[in-house]
């Protein structure tokens, strides 16, 4: 098994980390107001404010989870440490699908804006070029690509601020007659409650990207993660409702609907002239490109984590001299091209994958928070979200999911069509040992000519050995047999490998006779698992973990501990990826 190359990464500052994920979530300002107005009409700004409230609740939900488990992987990470690997892999599947759709939609929309400026531009070919450019930037390294993200993010904030100021001055000179006219129009969608609900469901598309920061938290400097959540929340909670109000005050409702694909540039042209319209269009191209970069960075951190856990092939972990997982990035680029080819740039199909994926991921993250409270309640964390706030946040997300099904059930079916093969790949990877054994058995009962067209038995046996030979480590505190039995059950149900070292760290005067007896009982109870009991004199620490990991050539993410109490002397982030399974 190839081992991942370790290297010191450039740690991201608050501005850099906020820019990487902020370009994704703030790019929603370009389209979410028009989308919300289409369903909520004059009440769109209220729906957008409700979305800001939901995002405020998720600030603490994400802050608590990632503060307790500050490892790349987002929803996958929390579910891996609170449920089964299968459930966590499902969340990872959804997240990768969301990133694929985000990258392609953002690149395509960016080129659509550019096409308005340069009509001769071939949109599909240009979309491929954008995806390729940001692939190269990501391979160069996160530090360098972050500087590009910072430039784009600052320009975007300046452009939006300039647009708001210009619109306010325009209204000061022209009055609010259009807003009053729009306000007294018949309510859309059949009533105020329905309009607000459907508007809210559509507006939730505007917070996609909020989950991205959790997928590259290990690349951020200490204390930066929670600040990225605050900054993203502030940007979308201010700009999205304000832009909706300004649109309703400057343009009649019918005109808003006619220009919904490029509403901001049209508002800019109306309020400030063609120069501002061009500026907003150029800003749209750049910030949507920044959202593509967010997808590359987020998927790189997530895929590295799940490949380390052998949910995906270990070969993806090969790094270049800059410490970048270039195979993951190239593979993601190829997947993006495939989804672009299959959908032919159809935004409806892409949006179905995009919307339902990220809403499901957010709901799973909220559920992960509740599981963390019950299963890891003593785990130290910098802040805590109340149970009632988590439940309310999850209910809001579920409502948005159902609302989007009502708005576009066809898109939901497209999402399912993409999800099923993705889950199938994960299921095959998690059960590859069983599949290989089945192939070995089958080859024994077929004729020699047919057998030669498949792997030979010897090759399959070698492949099986490589799959199951990875050892696991569990650090026990002298736990009783029931606790150790739970560990065996977890290994049996979640891990392909069936070899585990149970390590007990203690002083030389400790009496471990009862522990040895318990291990013998487990050895008889689980004959399919090779149990190796090891006693080491010393104290549990990050240094011991590092030493044993190097000595035994066992990655730290294959080392397990029970959930530590609040008196545990180390933070989980200091243990290098050691997993909690009890």
């Amino acid at each position: 098994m190839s081992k991942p190359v370790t290297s010191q990464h450039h740690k991201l500052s608050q501005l850099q980390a906020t820019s990487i994920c902020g370009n994704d979530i703030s790019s929603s300002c370009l389209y979410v107001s028009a989308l919300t107005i289409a369903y909520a009409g004059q009440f769109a700004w209220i729906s957008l404010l409700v979305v800001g409230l939901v995002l405020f609740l998720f600030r603490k939900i994400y802050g608590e989870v990632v503060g307790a488990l500050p490892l790349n992987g987002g929803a996958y990470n929390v579910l891996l440490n609170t449920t089964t690997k299968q459930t966590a892999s499902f969340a990872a599947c959804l997240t990768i699908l969301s990133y694929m759709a985000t990258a392609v939609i953002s690149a395509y929309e960016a080129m659509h804006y550019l096409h308005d400026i340069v009509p001769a531009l071939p949109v599909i070919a240009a979309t491929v070029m954008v995806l390729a450019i940001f692939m190269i930037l990501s391979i160069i390294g996160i530090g360098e690509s972050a500087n590009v993200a910072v430039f784009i993010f600052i320009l975007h904030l300046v452009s939006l601020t300039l647009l708001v100021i210009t619109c306010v001055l325009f209204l000061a000179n022209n009055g609010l007659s259009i807003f009053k006219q729009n306000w007294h129009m018949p309510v859309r969608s059949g009533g105020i409650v329905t309009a607000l609900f459907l508007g809210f469901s559509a507006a939730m598309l505007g917070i996609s990207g909020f989950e991205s920061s959790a997928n590259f938290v290990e690349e951020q400097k200490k204390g930066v993660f929670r600040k990225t959540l605050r900054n993203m929340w502030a940007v979308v909670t201010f700009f999205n409702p304000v832009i909706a109000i300004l649109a309703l005050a400057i343009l009649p409702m019918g005109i808003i609907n006619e220009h919904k694909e490029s509403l901001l540039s049209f508002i800019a042209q109306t309020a400030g002239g063609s120069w501002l319209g061009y500026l907003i269009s150029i800003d749209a191209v750049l910030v949507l490109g920044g959202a593509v970069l967010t997808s590359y960075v987020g998927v790189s951190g997530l895929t590295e984590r799940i490949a380390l856990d052998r949910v995906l092939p270990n070969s993806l972990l090969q790094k270049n001299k800059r410490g970048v997982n270039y195979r993951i990035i190239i593979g993601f680029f190829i997947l993006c091209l495939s989804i672009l080819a299959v959908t032919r740039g159809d935004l409806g199909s892409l949006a179905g994958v995009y919307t339902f994926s990220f809403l499901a991921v957010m709901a799973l993250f909220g559920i992960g928070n509740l599981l963390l409270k019950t299963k890891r309640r003593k785990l130290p964390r910098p802040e805590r979200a109340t149970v009632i706030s988590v439940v309310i946040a999850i209910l809001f997300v579920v409502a948005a999911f159902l609302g989007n099904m009502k708005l576009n059930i066809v898109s939901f079916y497209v999402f399912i069509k993409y999800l099923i093969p993705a889950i199938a790949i994960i299921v095959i990877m998690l059960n590859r040992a069983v599949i290989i054994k089945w192939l070995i058995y089958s080859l024994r009962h077929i004729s020699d000519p047919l057998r030669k067209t498949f792997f030979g038995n010897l090759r399959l046996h070698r492949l099986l050995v490589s799959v199951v030979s990875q050892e696991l480590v569990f650090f026990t505190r002298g736990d009783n047999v029931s606790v150790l039995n739970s560990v065996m059950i977890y290994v049996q149900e979640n891990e392909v490998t069936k070899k585990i070292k149970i390590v007990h760290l203690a002083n030389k005067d400790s009496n471990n006779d009862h522990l040895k007896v318990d291990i013998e009982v487990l050895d008889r109870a689980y004959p399919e698992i090779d149990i190796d009991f090891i006693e080491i004199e010393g104290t549990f620490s990050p240094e011991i973990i590092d030493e044993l990991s190097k000595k035994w050539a066992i990655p730290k993410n294959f080392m397990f501990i029970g959930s530590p109490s609040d008196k545990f002397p180390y933070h989980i982030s200091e243990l290098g990826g050691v997993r909690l399974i009890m």
Side-chain angles (χ1 to χ4, degrees):
M1 183 186 73
S2 61
K3 287 176 283 198
V5 178
T6 57
S7 68
Q8 288 297 321
H9 285 59
H10 169 81
K11 293 292 184 180
L12 299 172
S13 65
Q14 177 185 171
L15 178 59
Q16 290 174 319
T18 299
S19 298
I20 288 174
C21 47
N23 282 328
D24 188 0
I25 194 169
S26 66
S27 66
S28 68
C29 300
L30 298 166
Y31 55 80
V32 76
S33 294
L35 191 62
T36 309
I37 290 171
Y39 295 105
Q42 61 269 47
F43 302 104
W45 58 277
I46 300 176
S47 294
L48 289 163
L49 282 174
V50 174
V51 170
L53 172 63
V54 174
L55 203 60
F56 180 80
L57 297 177
F58 270 99
R59 277 178 58 186
K60 283 210 168 187
I61 293 172
Y62 274 74
E64 178 179 1
V65 169
V66 179
L69 301 167
L71 302 170
N72 289 348
Y76 168 81
N77 181 48
V78 62
L79 292 172
L80 183 67
N81 284 283
T82 54
T83 60
T84 65
K85 184 178 278 190
Q86 288 85 348
T87 303
S89 299
F90 175 68
C93 230
L94 290 168
T95 307
I96 292 173
L97 281 176
S98 177
Y99 278 133
M100 286 170 57
T102 299
V104 176
I105 287 176
S106 299
Y108 185 83
E109 278 289 281
M111 293 303 96
H112 184 79
Y113 268 96
L114 189 58
H115 183 265
D116 291 341
I117 302 173
V118 186
L121 183 76
V123 176
I124 295 293
T127 299
V128 174
M129 184 62 67
V130 170
L131 291 169
I133 289 171
F134 282 101
M135 174 190 69
I136 294 169
L137 277 174
S138 300
I139 291 174
I140 290 173
I142 193 169
E144 289 73 9
S145 58
N147 294 330
V148 175
V150 167
F151 170 76
I152 293 171
F153 187 62
I154 291 176
L155 177 63
H156 184 50
L157 293 184
V158 170
S159 300
L160 290 178
T161 302
L162 185 60
L163 174 64
V164 170
I165 292 172
T166 303
C167 288
V168 170
L169 293 176
F170 177 84
L171 292 173
N173 293 324
N174 294 276
L176 297 173
S177 59
I178 294 178
F179 182 81
K180 293 176 182 177
Q181 176 186 331
N182 286 332
W183 185 256
H184 291 98
M185 287 188 68
V187 179
R188 294 193 171 189
S189 304
I192 294 178
V193 174
T194 304
L196 288 173
F197 171 66
L198 295 180
F200 163 76
S201 300
M204 282 293 282
L205 185 63
I207 62 173
S208 176
F210 188 73
E211 76 283 359
S212 293
S213 187
N215 284 317
F216 62 96
V217 65
E218 292 179 52
E219 314 302 331
Q220 301 172 24
K221 291 180 180 177
K222 187 176 181 180
V224 163
F225 174 74
R226 290 168 64 192
K227 294 176 182 177
T228 67
L229 301 180
R230 178 200 62 196
N231 297 341
M232 286 189 287
W233 168 78
V235 168
V236 298
T237 302
F238 173 76
F239 280 112
N240 284 345
V242 166
I243 288 172
I245 292 172
L246 293 174
L248 291 165
I250 293 174
L251 301 174
M253 199 80 74
I255 301 296
I256 293 174
N257 294 333
E258 290 176 10
H259 294 86
K260 59 185 178 182
E261 290 185 355
S262 53
L263 179 63
L264 262 65
S265 60
F266 187 77
I267 295 173
Q269 188 172 354
T270 302
S274 58
W275 68 273
L276 186 57
Y278 279 118
L279 174 63
I280 295 299
S281 293
I282 293 170
D283 168 61
V285 173
L286 291 175
V287 77
L288 286 166
V292 177
L293 177 61
T294 301
S295 297
Y296 274 108
V297 175
V299 84
S300 180
L302 172 62
T303 307
E304 178 183 22
R305 179 66 198 281
I306 61 178
L308 282 168
D309 291 338
R310 301 210 300 174
V311 177
L312 290 178
N314 196 252
S315 58
L316 291 172
L317 296 171
Q318 187 69 38
K319 295 186 178 183
N320 62 17
K321 293 180 180 179
R322 293 176 176 268
V324 176
N325 296 295
Y326 66 92
R327 290 184 178 179
I328 292 175
I329 292 170
I330 293 172
F332 182 69
F333 170 70
I334 294 171
L335 286 174
C336 288
L337 292 187
S338 70
I339 196 173
L340 180 63
V342 169
T343 61
R344 297 179 181 178
D346 179 60
L347 292 181
S349 299
L350 289 168
V353 181
Y354 180 57
T355 306
F356 294 110
S357 295
F358 98 84
L359 285 175
V361 169
M362 290 196 77
L364 286 171
F365 209 102
I367 293 170
N369 181 285
L370 294 176
L371 292 171
L372 193 75
K373 291 179 186 300
T374 56
K375 294 188 175 184
R376 307 282 183 261
R377 58 183 179 276
K378 293 183 179 180
L379 196 65
R381 60 206 73 184
E383 62 180 332
R384 293 177 184 268
T386 62
V387 173
I388 186 64
S389 69
V390 178
V391 172
I392 290 172
I394 293 172
L395 290 176
F396 268 118
V397 172
V398 171
F401 193 98
L402 296 175
N404 275 283
M405 287 181 65
K406 182 177 177 62
L407 292 175
N408 195 345
I409 191 64
V410 175
S411 290
F412 175 73
Y413 294 144
V414 173
F415 160 70
I416 295 298
K417 288 178 182 178
Y418 279 102
L419 181 62
I420 290 174
I423 291 176
I425 293 171
I426 297 296
V427 169
I428 290 170
M429 287 299 298
L430 291 175
N431 295 279
R432 57 193 182 276
V434 175
I435 294 171
I436 294 170
K437 289 177 182 178
W438 180 84
L439 285 173
I440 292 172
Y441 175 81
S442 300
L443 285 173
R444 291 173 184 166
H445 298 83
I446 62 177
S447 61
D448 286 340
L450 185 57
R451 186 185 306 179
K452 291 176 182 178
T453 65
F454 294 87
F455 280 114
N457 271 347
L458 182 59
R459 289 185 179 180
L460 284 173
H461 277 290
R462 286 175 178 172
L463 183 60
L464 180 61
V465 169
S466 69
V467 169
V468 301
S469 61
Q470 174 64 63
E471 288 188 288
L472 307 174
V473 174
F474 177 72
F475 292 98
T476 180
R477 296 165 291 193
D479 305 287
N480 59 43
V481 70
S482 64
V483 173
L484 294 173
N485 183 60
S486 298
V487 173
M488 294 302 107
I489 293 173
Y490 178 89
V491 170
Q492 194 171 52
E493 294 179 350
N494 292 276
E495 300 296 334
V496 175
T497 184
K498 301 303 176 189
K499 298 175 70 175
I500 184 168
K501 295 180 184 291
I502 297 181
V503 178
H504 185 238
L505 295 162
N507 58 56
K508 61 182 179 180
D509 297 323
S510 298
N511 186 348
N512 294 323
D513 290 342
H514 74 284
L515 188 55
K516 293 176 183 178
V517 172
D518 290 342
I519 299 295
E520 290 175 0
V521 171
L522 291 172
D523 209 14
R524 291 192 297 270
Y526 296 93
E528 70 280 13
I529 300 178
D530 184 5
I531 303 174
D532 185 12
F533 178 57
I534 299 174
E535 295 178 281
I536 297 176
E537 187 176 338
T539 305
F540 183 80
S541 67
E543 291 74 23
I544 285 287
I545 292 172
D546 192 54
E547 177 187 333
L548 296 180
S549 176
K550 292 176 181 176
K551 179 180 178 181
W552 295 332
I554 298 176
K556 295 176 185 177
N557 56 300
F558 286 109
M559 295 182 166
F560 307 147
I561 61 172
S563 183
S565 69
D566 50 7
K567 296 179 181 179
F568 189 61
Y570 305 103
H571 193 276
I572 193 70
S573 62
E574 299 176 74
L575 305 183
V578 170
R579 284 160 54 188
L580 309 179
I581 63 169
M582 294 298 299

